[in-house]
mmCIF file of all heavy atoms in Angstrom:
data_model
loop_
_atom_site.group_PDB
_atom_site.id
_atom_site.type_symbol
_atom_site.label_atom_id
_atom_site.label_comp_id
_atom_site.label_asym_id
_atom_site.label_seq_id
_atom_site.Cartn_x
_atom_site.Cartn_y
_atom_site.Cartn_z
ATOM 1 N N TYR A 30 0.849 -1.256 0.011
ATOM 2 C CA TYR A 30 -0.002 -0.063 0.037
ATOM 3 C C TYR A 30 0.923 1.202 0.022
ATOM 4 O O TYR A 30 0.484 2.343 -0.569
ATOM 5 C CB TYR A 30 -0.905 0.062 1.277
ATOM 6 C CG TYR A 30 -2.150 -0.777 1.084
ATOM 7 C CD1 TYR A 30 -2.341 -2.038 1.585
ATOM 8 C CD2 TYR A 30 -3.310 -0.209 0.473
ATOM 9 C CE1 TYR A 30 -3.502 -2.822 1.442
ATOM 10 C CE2 TYR A 30 -4.483 -0.843 0.332
ATOM 11 C CZ TYR A 30 -4.566 -2.163 0.749
ATOM 12 O OH TYR A 30 -5.761 -2.916 0.648
ATOM 13 N N GLY A 31 2.014 1.280 0.778
ATOM 14 C CA GLY A 31 2.807 2.456 0.839
ATOM 15 C C GLY A 31 3.532 2.747 -0.512
ATOM 16 O O GLY A 31 3.958 3.886 -0.732
ATOM 17 N N ALA A 32 3.720 1.770 -1.469
ATOM 18 C CA ALA A 32 4.337 1.985 -2.672
ATOM 19 C C ALA A 32 3.499 3.040 -3.478
ATOM 20 O O ALA A 32 4.131 3.780 -4.247
ATOM 21 C CB ALA A 32 4.494 0.693 -3.421
ATOM 22 N N ARG A 33 2.171 2.978 -3.297
ATOM 23 C CA ARG A 33 1.306 3.803 -4.137
ATOM 24 C C ARG A 33 1.726 5.308 -3.740
ATOM 25 O O ARG A 33 1.792 6.170 -4.721
ATOM 26 C CB ARG A 33 -0.118 3.614 -3.861
ATOM 27 C CG ARG A 33 -1.079 4.510 -4.515
ATOM 28 C CD ARG A 33 -2.559 4.100 -4.225
ATOM 29 N NE ARG A 33 -2.850 2.878 -4.973
ATOM 30 C CZ ARG A 33 -4.039 2.280 -4.866
ATOM 31 N NH1 ARG A 33 -4.919 2.676 -4.016
ATOM 32 N NH2 ARG A 33 -4.223 1.192 -5.535
ATOM 33 N N ILE A 34 1.934 5.694 -2.552
ATOM 34 C CA ILE A 34 2.170 6.989 -2.138
ATOM 35 C C ILE A 34 3.619 7.337 -2.507
ATOM 36 O O ILE A 34 3.935 8.455 -3.087
ATOM 37 C CB ILE A 34 1.882 7.273 -0.672
ATOM 38 C CG1 ILE A 34 0.407 6.968 -0.373
ATOM 39 C CG2 ILE A 34 2.286 8.650 -0.226
ATOM 40 C CD1 ILE A 34 -0.582 7.916 -1.059
ATOM 41 N N SER A 35 4.560 6.544 -2.039
ATOM 42 C CA SER A 35 5.923 6.785 -2.226
ATOM 43 C C SER A 35 6.370 6.966 -3.718
ATOM 44 O O SER A 35 7.208 7.767 -4.087
ATOM 45 C CB SER A 35 6.878 5.766 -1.576
ATOM 46 O OG SER A 35 6.679 5.808 -0.180
ATOM 47 N N LEU A 36 5.769 6.152 -4.634
ATOM 48 C CA LEU A 36 6.106 6.265 -5.992
ATOM 49 C C LEU A 36 5.478 7.314 -6.757
ATOM 50 O O LEU A 36 6.082 7.957 -7.611
ATOM 51 C CB LEU A 36 5.840 4.910 -6.695
ATOM 52 C CG LEU A 36 6.623 3.710 -6.190
ATOM 53 C CD1 LEU A 36 6.170 2.413 -6.882
ATOM 54 C CD2 LEU A 36 8.091 3.855 -6.405
ATOM 55 N N THR A 37 4.211 7.593 -6.464
ATOM 56 C CA THR A 37 3.499 8.730 -7.077
ATOM 57 C C THR A 37 3.946 10.129 -6.622
ATOM 58 O O THR A 37 3.887 11.003 -7.458
ATOM 59 C CB THR A 37 1.986 8.598 -6.967
ATOM 60 O OG1 THR A 37 1.639 8.540 -5.523
ATOM 61 C CG2 THR A 37 1.435 7.305 -7.587
ATOM 62 N N ILE A 38 4.423 10.231 -5.373
ATOM 63 C CA ILE A 38 4.854 11.588 -4.971
ATOM 64 C C ILE A 38 6.062 12.004 -5.702
ATOM 65 O O ILE A 38 6.311 13.162 -5.969
ATOM 66 C CB ILE A 38 5.050 11.520 -3.444
ATOM 67 C CG1 ILE A 38 4.949 13.033 -2.946
ATOM 68 C CG2 ILE A 38 6.389 10.889 -3.125
ATOM 69 C CD1 ILE A 38 4.895 13.038 -1.398
ATOM 70 N N GLY A 39 6.902 10.995 -6.128
ATOM 71 C CA GLY A 39 8.110 11.337 -6.914
ATOM 72 C C GLY A 39 7.734 11.877 -8.314
ATOM 73 O O GLY A 39 8.340 12.777 -8.802
ATOM 74 N N LEU A 40 6.748 11.173 -8.929
ATOM 75 C CA LEU A 40 6.344 11.575 -10.282
ATOM 76 C C LEU A 40 5.708 12.954 -10.239
ATOM 77 O O LEU A 40 5.904 13.737 -11.134
ATOM 78 C CB LEU A 40 5.298 10.444 -10.822
ATOM 79 C CG LEU A 40 5.844 9.139 -11.176
ATOM 80 C CD1 LEU A 40 4.827 8.289 -11.732
ATOM 81 C CD2 LEU A 40 7.046 9.301 -12.160
ATOM 82 N N LEU A 41 4.767 13.259 -9.267
ATOM 83 C CA LEU A 41 4.129 14.512 -9.224
ATOM 84 C C LEU A 41 5.102 15.655 -8.939
ATOM 85 O O LEU A 41 5.042 16.711 -9.519
ATOM 86 C CB LEU A 41 3.117 14.480 -8.076
ATOM 87 C CG LEU A 41 1.854 13.549 -8.387
ATOM 88 C CD1 LEU A 41 0.897 13.529 -7.243
ATOM 89 C CD2 LEU A 41 1.158 13.979 -9.648
ATOM 90 N N GLY A 42 6.086 15.330 -8.052
ATOM 91 C CA GLY A 42 7.118 16.350 -7.685
ATOM 92 C C GLY A 42 7.939 16.659 -8.932
ATOM 93 O O GLY A 42 8.278 17.810 -9.216
ATOM 94 N N VAL A 43 8.404 15.563 -9.683
ATOM 95 C CA VAL A 43 9.202 15.894 -10.852
ATOM 96 C C VAL A 43 8.372 16.579 -11.944
ATOM 97 O O VAL A 43 8.934 17.468 -12.627
ATOM 98 C CB VAL A 43 9.814 14.541 -11.411
ATOM 99 C CG1 VAL A 43 10.310 14.639 -12.768
ATOM 100 C CG2 VAL A 43 10.867 13.995 -10.455
ATOM 101 N N ALA A 44 7.119 16.230 -12.075
ATOM 102 C CA ALA A 44 6.247 16.963 -13.063
ATOM 103 C C ALA A 44 6.219 18.439 -12.756
ATOM 104 O O ALA A 44 6.341 19.339 -13.672
ATOM 105 C CB ALA A 44 4.834 16.375 -13.092
ATOM 106 N N MET A 45 6.086 18.775 -11.508
ATOM 107 C CA MET A 45 6.011 20.245 -11.113
ATOM 108 C C MET A 45 7.381 20.855 -11.392
ATOM 109 O O MET A 45 7.442 21.947 -11.905
ATOM 110 C CB MET A 45 5.598 20.366 -9.609
ATOM 111 C CG MET A 45 5.613 21.777 -9.131
ATOM 112 S SD MET A 45 4.990 21.863 -7.479
ATOM 113 C CE MET A 45 3.354 21.277 -7.656
ATOM 114 N N SER A 46 8.492 20.223 -10.906
ATOM 115 C CA SER A 46 9.802 20.834 -11.101
ATOM 116 C C SER A 46 10.153 20.882 -12.640
ATOM 117 O O SER A 46 10.798 21.804 -13.102
ATOM 118 C CB SER A 46 10.893 20.045 -10.355
ATOM 119 O OG SER A 46 11.028 18.774 -10.932
ATOM 120 N N PHE A 47 9.676 19.906 -13.413
ATOM 121 C CA PHE A 47 9.880 19.946 -14.828
ATOM 122 C C PHE A 47 9.161 21.146 -15.468
ATOM 123 O O PHE A 47 9.827 21.799 -16.361
ATOM 124 C CB PHE A 47 9.265 18.661 -15.436
ATOM 125 C CG PHE A 47 9.814 18.229 -16.748
ATOM 126 C CD1 PHE A 47 11.124 17.753 -16.824
ATOM 127 C CD2 PHE A 47 9.080 18.322 -17.886
ATOM 128 C CE1 PHE A 47 11.622 17.344 -18.068
ATOM 129 C CE2 PHE A 47 9.615 17.944 -19.123
ATOM 130 C CZ PHE A 47 10.925 17.431 -19.141
ATOM 131 N N VAL A 48 8.009 21.452 -15.067
ATOM 132 C CA VAL A 48 7.229 22.514 -15.672
ATOM 133 C C VAL A 48 7.986 23.869 -15.329
ATOM 134 O O VAL A 48 8.255 24.794 -16.133
ATOM 135 C CB VAL A 48 5.871 22.569 -15.285
ATOM 136 C CG1 VAL A 48 5.072 23.784 -15.702
ATOM 137 C CG2 VAL A 48 5.091 21.360 -15.879
ATOM 138 N N LEU A 49 8.271 24.014 -13.980
ATOM 139 C CA LEU A 49 8.924 25.168 -13.528
ATOM 140 C C LEU A 49 10.270 25.464 -14.196
ATOM 141 O O LEU A 49 10.625 26.540 -14.664
ATOM 142 C CB LEU A 49 9.086 25.181 -11.985
ATOM 143 C CG LEU A 49 7.847 25.355 -11.176
ATOM 144 C CD1 LEU A 49 8.030 25.136 -9.652
ATOM 145 C CD2 LEU A 49 7.088 26.667 -11.457
ATOM 146 N N GLY A 50 11.079 24.320 -14.300
ATOM 147 C CA GLY A 50 12.429 24.477 -14.809
ATOM 148 C C GLY A 50 12.381 24.823 -16.248
ATOM 149 O O GLY A 50 13.171 25.675 -16.757
ATOM 150 N N ILE A 51 11.430 24.211 -17.059
ATOM 151 C CA ILE A 51 11.399 24.561 -18.491
ATOM 152 C C ILE A 51 10.861 26.002 -18.716
ATOM 153 O O ILE A 51 11.448 26.750 -19.542
ATOM 154 C CB ILE A 51 10.538 23.525 -19.214
ATOM 155 C CG1 ILE A 51 11.225 22.171 -19.329
ATOM 156 C CG2 ILE A 51 10.193 23.921 -20.652
ATOM 157 C CD1 ILE A 51 10.386 21.100 -19.935
ATOM 158 N N VAL A 52 9.839 26.335 -18.036
ATOM 159 C CA VAL A 52 9.285 27.717 -18.245
ATOM 160 C C VAL A 52 10.226 28.783 -17.776
ATOM 161 O O VAL A 52 10.548 29.745 -18.574
ATOM 162 C CB VAL A 52 7.921 27.860 -17.445
ATOM 163 C CG1 VAL A 52 7.415 29.203 -17.500
ATOM 164 C CG2 VAL A 52 6.884 26.863 -18.079
ATOM 165 N N ILE A 53 10.756 28.684 -16.525
ATOM 166 C CA ILE A 53 11.609 29.792 -16.028
ATOM 167 C C ILE A 53 12.943 29.778 -16.752
ATOM 168 O O ILE A 53 13.482 30.793 -17.142
ATOM 169 C CB ILE A 53 11.727 29.603 -14.511
ATOM 170 C CG1 ILE A 53 10.396 29.693 -13.833
ATOM 171 C CG2 ILE A 53 12.725 30.685 -14.011
ATOM 172 C CD1 ILE A 53 10.456 29.591 -12.324
ATOM 173 N N GLY A 54 13.490 28.559 -16.896
ATOM 174 C CA GLY A 54 14.815 28.469 -17.569
ATOM 175 C C GLY A 54 14.672 28.819 -18.995
ATOM 176 O O GLY A 54 15.624 29.504 -19.586
ATOM 177 N N GLY A 55 13.623 28.454 -19.685
ATOM 178 C CA GLY A 55 13.440 28.809 -21.093
ATOM 179 C C GLY A 55 13.329 30.329 -21.301
ATOM 180 O O GLY A 55 13.997 30.949 -22.180
ATOM 181 N N LEU A 56 12.568 31.019 -20.439
ATOM 182 C CA LEU A 56 12.391 32.376 -20.601
ATOM 183 C C LEU A 56 13.739 33.171 -20.328
ATOM 184 O O LEU A 56 14.009 34.119 -20.902
ATOM 185 C CB LEU A 56 11.244 32.938 -19.636
ATOM 186 C CG LEU A 56 9.875 32.504 -20.026
ATOM 187 C CD1 LEU A 56 8.862 32.971 -18.991
ATOM 188 C CD2 LEU A 56 9.495 33.048 -21.547
ATOM 189 N N ALA A 57 14.458 32.667 -19.303
ATOM 190 C CA ALA A 57 15.677 33.285 -18.865
ATOM 191 C C ALA A 57 16.698 33.162 -19.985
ATOM 192 O O ALA A 57 17.448 34.110 -20.291
ATOM 193 C CB ALA A 57 16.249 32.729 -17.611
ATOM 194 N N GLY A 58 16.759 31.901 -20.673
ATOM 195 C CA GLY A 58 17.778 31.757 -21.646
ATOM 196 C C GLY A 58 17.415 32.416 -23.009
ATOM 197 O O GLY A 58 18.321 32.887 -23.731
ATOM 198 N N TYR A 59 16.102 32.535 -23.241
ATOM 199 C CA TYR A 59 15.700 33.168 -24.546
ATOM 200 C C TYR A 59 15.611 34.682 -24.463
ATOM 201 O O TYR A 59 16.024 35.351 -25.382
ATOM 202 C CB TYR A 59 14.383 32.593 -25.028
ATOM 203 C CG TYR A 59 13.848 33.048 -26.379
ATOM 204 C CD1 TYR A 59 14.438 32.616 -27.507
ATOM 205 C CD2 TYR A 59 12.865 34.018 -26.364
ATOM 206 C CE1 TYR A 59 14.079 33.025 -28.695
ATOM 207 C CE2 TYR A 59 12.396 34.472 -27.636
ATOM 208 C CZ TYR A 59 13.000 34.018 -28.851
ATOM 209 O OH TYR A 59 12.530 34.477 -29.970
ATOM 210 N N ARG A 60 15.087 35.163 -23.328
ATOM 211 C CA ARG A 60 14.996 36.634 -23.234
ATOM 212 C C ARG A 60 16.252 37.262 -22.793
ATOM 213 O O ARG A 60 16.672 38.248 -23.337
ATOM 214 C CB ARG A 60 13.944 36.990 -22.197
ATOM 215 C CG ARG A 60 12.464 36.704 -22.748
ATOM 216 C CD ARG A 60 12.079 37.641 -23.804
ATOM 217 N NE ARG A 60 10.734 37.552 -24.159
ATOM 218 C CZ ARG A 60 10.167 38.262 -25.090
ATOM 219 N NH1 ARG A 60 10.873 39.214 -25.790
ATOM 220 N NH2 ARG A 60 8.868 38.136 -25.366
ATOM 221 N N GLY A 61 16.928 36.602 -21.776
ATOM 222 C CA GLY A 61 18.125 37.221 -21.303
ATOM 223 C C GLY A 61 17.914 38.567 -20.483
ATOM 224 O O GLY A 61 16.707 38.789 -20.035
ATOM 225 N N GLY A 62 18.881 39.412 -20.408
ATOM 226 C CA GLY A 62 18.680 40.722 -19.824
ATOM 227 C C GLY A 62 18.405 40.690 -18.320
ATOM 228 O O GLY A 62 18.888 39.863 -17.543
ATOM 229 N N THR A 63 17.515 41.536 -17.859
ATOM 230 C CA THR A 63 17.213 41.696 -16.413
ATOM 231 C C THR A 63 16.615 40.480 -15.893
ATOM 232 O O THR A 63 16.869 40.006 -14.744
ATOM 233 C CB THR A 63 16.369 42.977 -16.240
ATOM 234 O OG1 THR A 63 17.007 44.101 -16.730
ATOM 235 C CG2 THR A 63 16.201 43.176 -14.737
ATOM 236 N N PHE A 64 15.617 39.954 -16.653
ATOM 237 C CA PHE A 64 14.936 38.745 -16.088
ATOM 238 C C PHE A 64 15.960 37.589 -15.984
ATOM 239 O O PHE A 64 15.788 36.903 -14.923
ATOM 240 C CB PHE A 64 13.901 38.324 -17.157
ATOM 241 C CG PHE A 64 13.122 37.128 -16.775
ATOM 242 C CD1 PHE A 64 12.087 37.253 -15.848
ATOM 243 C CD2 PHE A 64 13.319 35.911 -17.352
ATOM 244 C CE1 PHE A 64 11.331 36.214 -15.427
ATOM 245 C CE2 PHE A 64 12.562 34.829 -16.938
ATOM 246 C CZ PHE A 64 11.554 34.928 -15.972
ATOM 247 N N ASP A 65 16.821 37.407 -16.781
ATOM 248 C CA ASP A 65 17.862 36.403 -16.660
ATOM 249 C C ASP A 65 18.711 36.588 -15.347
ATOM 250 O O ASP A 65 19.005 35.627 -14.698
ATOM 251 C CB ASP A 65 18.691 36.315 -17.915
ATOM 252 C CG ASP A 65 19.674 35.228 -17.893
ATOM 253 O OD1 ASP A 65 19.505 34.164 -17.214
ATOM 254 O OD2 ASP A 65 20.866 35.298 -18.441
ATOM 255 N N LEU A 66 19.080 37.840 -15.186
ATOM 256 C CA LEU A 66 19.876 38.137 -13.976
ATOM 257 C C LEU A 66 19.059 37.808 -12.669
ATOM 258 O O LEU A 66 19.627 37.290 -11.691
ATOM 259 C CB LEU A 66 20.261 39.611 -13.982
ATOM 260 C CG LEU A 66 21.359 39.953 -15.081
ATOM 261 C CD1 LEU A 66 21.581 41.503 -14.974
ATOM 262 C CD2 LEU A 66 22.655 39.205 -14.874
ATOM 263 N N ILE A 67 17.801 38.203 -12.687
ATOM 264 C CA ILE A 67 16.981 37.977 -11.534
ATOM 265 C C ILE A 67 16.835 36.437 -11.209
ATOM 266 O O ILE A 67 16.886 35.947 -10.099
ATOM 267 C CB ILE A 67 15.671 38.616 -11.587
ATOM 268 C CG1 ILE A 67 15.843 40.146 -11.669
ATOM 269 C CG2 ILE A 67 14.666 38.213 -10.496
ATOM 270 C CD1 ILE A 67 14.525 40.905 -11.948
ATOM 271 N N VAL A 68 16.548 35.770 -12.313
ATOM 272 C CA VAL A 68 16.384 34.219 -12.210
ATOM 273 C C VAL A 68 17.632 33.619 -11.688
ATOM 274 O O VAL A 68 17.696 32.709 -10.793
ATOM 275 C CB VAL A 68 15.909 33.670 -13.546
ATOM 276 C CG1 VAL A 68 16.007 32.109 -13.482
ATOM 277 C CG2 VAL A 68 14.543 34.112 -13.869
ATOM 278 N N GLN A 69 18.767 34.066 -12.185
ATOM 279 C CA GLN A 69 20.081 33.382 -11.764
ATOM 280 C C GLN A 69 20.362 33.711 -10.285
ATOM 281 O O GLN A 69 20.856 32.880 -9.655
ATOM 282 C CB GLN A 69 21.191 33.949 -12.700
ATOM 283 C CG GLN A 69 21.122 33.452 -14.150
ATOM 284 C CD GLN A 69 21.142 31.934 -14.166
ATOM 285 O OE1 GLN A 69 22.018 31.279 -13.684
ATOM 286 N NE2 GLN A 69 20.066 31.358 -14.760
ATOM 287 N N ARG A 70 20.053 34.923 -9.866
ATOM 288 C CA ARG A 70 20.279 35.222 -8.462
ATOM 289 C C ARG A 70 19.374 34.347 -7.592
ATOM 290 O O ARG A 70 19.740 33.881 -6.486
ATOM 291 C CB ARG A 70 19.988 36.680 -8.189
ATOM 292 C CG ARG A 70 21.021 37.668 -8.968
ATOM 293 C CD ARG A 70 22.473 37.479 -8.690
ATOM 294 N NE ARG A 70 23.128 36.419 -9.388
ATOM 295 C CZ ARG A 70 23.412 36.501 -10.573
ATOM 296 N NH1 ARG A 70 23.192 37.533 -11.373
ATOM 297 N NH2 ARG A 70 24.031 35.467 -11.182
ATOM 298 N N ILE A 71 18.126 34.209 -7.945
ATOM 299 C CA ILE A 71 17.180 33.351 -7.210
ATOM 300 C C ILE A 71 17.727 31.941 -7.160
ATOM 301 O O ILE A 71 17.623 31.295 -6.010
ATOM 302 C CB ILE A 71 15.680 33.410 -7.793
ATOM 303 C CG1 ILE A 71 15.205 34.924 -7.677
ATOM 304 C CG2 ILE A 71 14.852 32.424 -7.106
ATOM 305 C CD1 ILE A 71 13.869 35.070 -8.307
#
């Protein structure tokens, strides 16, 4: 029973970090400038 929680929490967490990493990293790399500097400091 515990496998259901432990395995799915990894998938959901990676899905969230995947979306955040692609969106924020993509905008920072494509736009550059001030937004890139702010993202890098964060």
Side-chain angles (χ1 to χ4, degrees):
Y30 275 97
R33 175 176 290 174
I34 299 296
S35 294
L36 294 178
T37 55
I38 202 170
L40 291 181
L41 293 177
V43 165
M45 179 175 296
S46 67
F47 201 72
V48 172
L49 289 175
I51 289 179
V52 172
I53 298 177
L56 290 176
Y59 183 74
R60 287 292 187 182
T63 305
F64 182 77
D65 183 28
L66 291 176
I67 295 174
V68 169
Q69 290 306 301
R70 300 297 83 76
I71 294 175

